[in-house]
Amino acid sequence: MPALLTIDYPGPPPVRPDAVRDTARRLLRLCGQSESEWSILLLDDAAMAELNERYRHKKGPTNVLAFALREGEPFSEAPAAGSPLGDVVVSLDTAAREARQEGITLHRRLAVLLIHGLLHLLGMDHERSDAEAEEMEAAERELLRQLDDDKRREKMIQLAVNVDHVATLRQARGIAEPDPVLAAGICELAGASGIVVHLREDRRHIQDRDVHLLRQTVKTKLNLEMGATEEIIGIALAVKPDMVTLVPEKRQELTTEGGLNVAGQKKKLGRAIERFTSAGIPVSLFIDPDSRQIKAASEVGATFVEIHTGRYCDATSEAERHHEFDLVATAAEEAFEAGLRVNAGHGLNYLTTARVAALGTIEELSIGHAIMARAILVGLDQAVREMLALLPRG
Ligand code: PXP
């Protein structure tokens, strides 16, 4: 039992005990104290005021009090593994007030206060000197960042389906079918967490009409893939998709070939990102698995990067595939560490996807061709039978 939680609050407590225990356990692990034990007591302001008076001779409540079992021992000497560390007491009323002031959730404020308390239990004390106060603040920020990363890694990976190929088939005939808007609805009903379409300058597959209709019909998340040209930026700002993914676009290419050279056009991309961000539209940059591009993406203010998985998927030998996979894995880790949200895609199929999906740093995969190709094959039998059913039988 590494985190003993007691809630002594009049009425239903405004926090979820499981979430508090989970945060407490993670914090112990992040401090290398998985085997140790700390007690957490959550109270109201009246009870906290009593403790504050009794132990600190101060009037009124405070947000957090820590009672270390190894009071006075230096932080550098970590407590022996498995030892009880002490108690941290938090006033939920004060924490809730502070949360409101900062515009954050009570659980988030509580995490910050628990971190503060835990560092006290481990021997840090901001009251000893200015230098130690600074050191403790830095440790708090770092632990909060690590806690966020720890939780992000466990998020379930999601699938966004690219329906461009449905439009490609429609455009090949120049008629109204098949309709990517209907296809998008089917993908969502099947569990896709988002729909991706690429509105190309040459309109070879997705048309303006599709984007406008999808904006009205997509219930999950519409991700508009696009080149950063003035015309398409204007359309995107008018349509307001849930996010945009900026890609390089060449007229002659069959599909997006490489990632964006973010490092080489930071000013231009920075300006485009600024326009989208002020319109409340997060931007993803489609990049090769390359440290330079990740650093640049972070510098120009992107929210997401989408790591290009094409070379990994197209590898023709095991050795090459391993090498390309390592590049994707390292890039995803670097982007994650840089605080970017990480997606990945291009060329992923039924053989190459699982390994990328297992990385833990990637939020969402964007997949089109493999799913549409498979849909034709698994749907063909039924399509033929449905047509046969229309024919008169003798
Ligand atoms: N991500 C981006 C940026 C793309 O350009 C594409 C292709 O449209 C995809 C993902 C999906 O690639 P695929 O169709 O090979 O699954």
Side-chain angles (χ1 to χ4, degrees), residues 157 309 312-313 325 328 344 348 352-360 362 365:
I157 190 159
T309 47
Y312 153 66
C313 295
F325 177 78
V328 170
L348 291 169
T352 51
T353 296
R355 204 167 164 203
V356 176
L359 283 176
I362 295 176
L365 298 176

Side-chain angles (χ1 to χ4, degrees), residues 4-15:
L4 302 168
L5 175 67
T6 309
I7 304 181
D8 189 359
Y9 194 77
V15 285

Side-chain angles (χ1 to χ4, degrees), residues 63-102:
N63 49 12
V64 58
L65 287 176
F67 300 95
L69 277 177
R70 20 171 264 132
E71 201 83 62
E73 290 170 43
F75 180 67
S76 50
E77 281 170 30
S83 52
L85 300 173
D87 305 284
V88 171
V89 187
V90 174
S91 163
L92 289 176
D93 295 334
T94 302
R97 265 196 313 279
E98 292 171 346
R100 274 195 302 278
Q101 273 159 15
E102 286 180 42

Side-chain angles (χ1 to χ4, degrees), residues 251-384:
R251 282 198 173 246
Q252 329 73 283
E253 69 190 356
L254 284 177
T255 176
T256 315
E257 282 168 358
L260 270 177
N261 179 8
V262 185
Q265 44 181 340
K266 277 167 61 176
K267 265 211 182 118
K268 178 183 164 198
L269 290 172
R271 274 197 301 270
I273 291 172
E274 176 59 38
R275 288 170 74 185
F276 283 117
T277 311
S278 0
I281 304 170
V283 178
S284 177
L285 299 178
F286 182 57
I287 54 168
D288 288 328
D290 171 344
S291 303
R292 222 164 55 95
Q293 303 299 347
I294 292 162
K295 187 163 172 285
S298 169
E299 285 164 1
V300 295
T303 303
F304 292 84
V305 285
E306 180 179 331
I307 308 281
H308 193 332
T309 47
R311 278 210 298 273
Y312 153 66
C313 295
D314 294 343
T316 50
S317 69
E318 261 312 281
E320 187 189 346
R321 180 154 293 176
H322 275 307
H323 172 69
E324 293 298 338
F325 177 78
D326 283 346
L327 292 180
V328 170
T330 307
E333 186 68 39
E334 279 176 10
F336 185 96
E337 288 288 325
L340 288 157
R341 296 174 67 178
V342 191
N343 294 337
H346 213 290
L348 291 169
N349 63 24
Y350 292 83
L351 297 174
T352 51
T353 296
R355 204 167 164 203
V356 176
L359 283 176
T361 39
I362 295 176
E363 268 184 48
E364 188 172 79
L365 298 176
S366 169
I367 307 183
H369 185 85
I371 292 176
M372 296 310 158
R374 178 99 184 124
I376 291 176
L377 294 187
V378 297
L380 196 51
D381 176 90
Q382 185 177 340
V384 171

Side-chain angles (χ1 to χ4, degrees), residues 8-286:
D8 189 359
Y9 194 77
V15 285
R16 284 175 289 115
D18 280 355
V20 180
R21 270 190 216 98
D22 178 66
T23 298
R25 266 189 227 115
R26 285 176 198 269
L27 288 174
L28 275 187
R29 176 164 47 75
L30 291 169
C31 291
Q33 293 290 328
S34 299
E35 302 303 319
S36 303
E37 194 179 279
W38 63 326
S39 302
I40 296 167
L41 176 59
L42 305 182
L43 303 170
D44 67 343
D45 266 352
M48 182 57 126
E50 268 180 40
L51 290 181
N52 208 18
E53 168 93 62
R54 186 170 342 141
Y55 292 101
R56 294 171 73 224
H57 312 294
K58 292 199 172 163
K59 286 257 175 276
T62 183
N63 49 12
V64 58
L65 287 176
F67 300 95
L69 277 177
R70 20 171 264 132
E71 201 83 62
E73 290 170 43
F75 180 67
S76 50
E77 281 170 30
S83 52
L85 300 173
D87 305 284
V88 171
V89 187
V90 174
S91 163
L92 289 176
D93 295 334
T94 302
R97 265 196 313 279
E98 292 171 346
R100 274 195 302 278
Q101 273 159 15
E102 286 180 42
I104 56 175
T105 65
L106 172 57
H107 282 94
R108 178 120 191 115
R109 182 65 197 148
L110 191 51
V112 171
L113 296 174
L114 290 178
I115 286 174
H116 185 84
L118 180 58
L119 289 176
H120 268 304
L121 298 192
L122 293 173
M124 276 199 159
D125 192 350
H126 52 95
E127 284 175 356
R128 271 199 290 254
S129 68
D130 285 351
E132 198 161 338
E134 260 175 47
E135 195 191 340
M136 188 161 170
E137 258 178 45
E140 283 172 4
R141 276 195 302 274
E142 175 58 18
L143 203 47
L144 187 62
R145 190 193 64 76
Q146 287 180 12
L147 180 68
D148 286 340
D149 281 2
D150 202 55
K151 289 184 177 171
R152 268 171 78 199
R153 275 178 202 277
E154 281 171 21
K155 278 214 181 129
M156 257 190 20
I157 190 159
Q158 301 195 308
L159 171 67
V161 180
N162 180 316
V163 295
D164 291 351
H165 286 309
V166 180
T168 302
L169 195 55
R170 174 190 63 191
Q171 296 309 110
R173 265 295 167 101
I175 55 170
E177 287 185 322
D179 191 335
V181 179
L182 289 182
I186 294 174
C187 295
E188 287 188 298
L189 287 175
S193 63
I195 299 297
V196 189
V197 285
H198 184 173
L199 185 67
R200 282 183 166 267
E201 249 188 315
D202 64 10
R203 309 297 199 274
R204 68 173 73 162
H205 38 52
I206 292 296
Q207 306 296 304
D208 298 50
R209 163 264 184 207
D210 301 328
V211 179
H212 284 99
L213 281 179
L214 284 166
R215 175 62 298 182
Q216 293 170 44
T217 55
V218 164
K219 300 278 186 298
T220 52
K221 185 180 66 194
L222 179 62
N223 179 352
L224 183 64
E225 192 182 319
M226 52 179 279
T229 63
E230 205 40 54
E231 185 215 357
I232 308 286
I233 291 177
I235 294 173
L237 288 171
V239 169
K240 290 198 177 10
D242 297 294
M243 64 182 283
V244 295
T245 299
L246 301 182
V247 298
E249 195 176 297
K250 293 193 210 124
R251 282 198 173 246
Q252 329 73 283
E253 69 190 356
L254 284 177
T255 176
T256 315
E257 282 168 358
L260 270 177
N261 179 8
V262 185
Q265 44 181 340
K266 277 167 61 176
K267 265 211 182 118
K268 178 183 164 198
L269 290 172
R271 274 197 301 270
I273 291 172
E274 176 59 38
R275 288 170 74 185
F276 283 117
T277 311
S278 0
I281 304 170
V283 178
S284 177
L285 299 178
F286 182 57

